[in-house]
Amino acid sequence: MTKRMPARAALSVHARGREKLKGHLAMLLFAVLIAGSFSFGGLAARYMEAEPLTLWRYILTIVVMAALAFGAFKVPAVWPKEIWRFLLLGGLIAIYMLTMFTALEFTSPIATGAVFTLMPLLSAGFALPVLGQKTRPGVLAGLIIAAAGAVWVIFRGNIGAILSFDIGTGEMIFFAGVICHALYVPLIRRFDRGEPAVAFGFWVTVGAALWLVPPGIRGLIETDFSALPLAVYAAVAYLAVVTTAFTFLLLQYASMRLPASKVLGYGYLTPSFIILLEGLLGHGWASLPVLAGALVTACGLALMAFLPD
């Protein structure tokens, strides 16, 4: 008789071979798409407040996810079991998105992207109590190296600012959201009940929108959409379709194949991609000290990715 693996132990089993490789490729694409969300989100944040902007984004995302789940993938439209799972996950993502747009009113996309790279280290910490996943010493070393590079970018390569802990308001605001997202990643796997990824994503999106209605509905109703430039519509479309719907599917896919610490380890590439995108958009190139910090985070990713799970 085959001995059944305990449920908690099963959460610590990871994919191998091609499935593991596909998980890594999914997160590489995730890092590229997330980088765009900071730059394009910064454009939209110049014209709208965080609450109505985030609610608008999620209303569009609900439409996109519904079309994917119940249209393209023909998932049965049934009420999910344990609806509280999606309210909790949606609440965590709602806080993350609100703090991102609020932070972009105070600081640059590069700085917020650097704060985002602290997420894997936090996620590794949450993975132990949530999933029972222990982070290997080598992987932990990679996380710490990359986090050090992120701190260097956050403080703009200023040693004096680091010593005096002179961190900006925007970075502090977004850090609270990053903590929520770090908890969200292991909870995806913990709360998985075998639902199709697109259906799971749809209900998480609905859960997030419900939390966003109270703070954002009044501002959204009062918005003069005719006065908004085309760039805002393009940015919201990108955020709603690409960095919400697509990145959720990528994150869900990778989270079922890789340990939580490695899943968001690909966020270490975010500052490098943001620096490249900001330069291409004509917003200026980062200084050499800041670029050096971004490269350190990329090296931390390389170390972590090639180590055993």
Side-chain angles (χ1 to χ4, degrees):
M1 182 176 178
T2 303
K3 189 175 182 181
R4 187 177 180 183
M5 182 179 295
R8 188 172 177 85
L11 294 174
S12 296
V13 176
H14 313 301
R16 298 179 182 275
R18 292 186 62 183
E19 287 299 312
K20 179 178 179 179
L21 176 61
K22 288 192 289 186
H24 283 290
L25 291 176
M27 289 313 300
L28 182 62
L29 179 56
F30 172 89
V32 175
L33 298 179
I34 286 294
S37 72
F38 289 102
S39 292
F40 294 125
L43 288 173
R46 298 176 185 176
Y47 300 94
M48 291 185 67
E49 294 183 353
E51 293 85 354
L53 178 59
T54 310
L55 177 59
W56 181 18
R57 167 189 179 168
Y58 267 87
I59 291 173
L60 293 179
T61 304
I62 287 175
V63 175
V64 173
M65 292 299 292
L68 284 174
F70 311 122
F73 291 92
K74 301 188 182 304
V75 176
V78 296
W79 191 258
K81 298 178 181 179
E82 299 174 301
I83 192 68
W84 59 267
R85 294 178 293 154
F86 303 103
L87 290 174
L88 177 56
L89 292 173
L92 292 173
I93 285 298
I95 294 172
Y96 167 76
M97 293 299 176
L98 278 175
T99 57
M100 184 187 81
F101 284 118
T102 302
L104 286 168
E105 297 175 9
F106 295 93
T107 189
S108 70
I110 294 174
T112 51
V115 177
F116 179 82
T117 62
L118 297 175
M119 195 183 300
L121 190 59
L122 296 169
S123 187
F126 284 127
L128 180 59
V130 174
L131 300 175
Q133 291 181 359
K134 296 181 180 179
T135 304
R136 290 175 177 268
V139 175
L140 183 61
L143 290 170
I144 294 173
I145 290 171
V151 169
W152 184 259
V153 175
I154 292 168
F155 288 98
R156 295 167 289 279
N158 188 327
I159 295 178
I162 294 175
L163 294 176
S164 62
F165 202 69
D166 184 15
I167 190 168
T169 301
E171 288 86 345
M172 286 295 293
I173 291 172
F174 189 49
F175 183 64
V178 166
I179 293 174
C180 291
H181 202 312
L183 177 59
Y184 168 83
V185 173
L187 283 179
I188 288 178
R189 193 164 182 176
R190 183 70 177 176
F191 290 163
D192 179 69
R193 301 294 186 268
E195 300 100 338
V198 287
F200 194 98
F202 169 77
W203 289 110
V204 171
T205 304
V206 171
L210 291 175
W211 287 103
L212 292 167
V213 167
I217 188 63
R218 180 175 179 179
L220 188 61
I221 293 174
E222 295 175 350
T223 299
D224 182 4
F225 289 95
S226 63
L228 296 176
L230 183 61
V232 175
Y233 286 92
V236 171
Y238 179 89
L239 294 169
V241 178
V242 178
T243 59
T244 301
F246 287 177
T247 57
F248 175 85
L249 296 177
L250 292 170
L251 190 60
Q252 173 88 357
Y253 183 87
S255 294
M256 300 305 295
R257 288 161 176 79
L258 304 172
S261 58
K262 285 194 174 185
V263 167
L264 283 184
Y266 278 87
Y268 289 151
L269 291 176
T270 302
S272 300
F273 287 134
I274 293 175
I275 288 170
L276 178 61
L277 185 56
E278 286 289 291
L280 293 175
L281 290 174
H283 298 163
W285 295 92
S287 64
L288 287 177
V290 172
L291 180 60
L295 290 177
V296 169
T297 63
C299 290
L301 167 65
L303 170 63
M304 186 185 62
F306 287 105
L307 288 170
D309 293 337

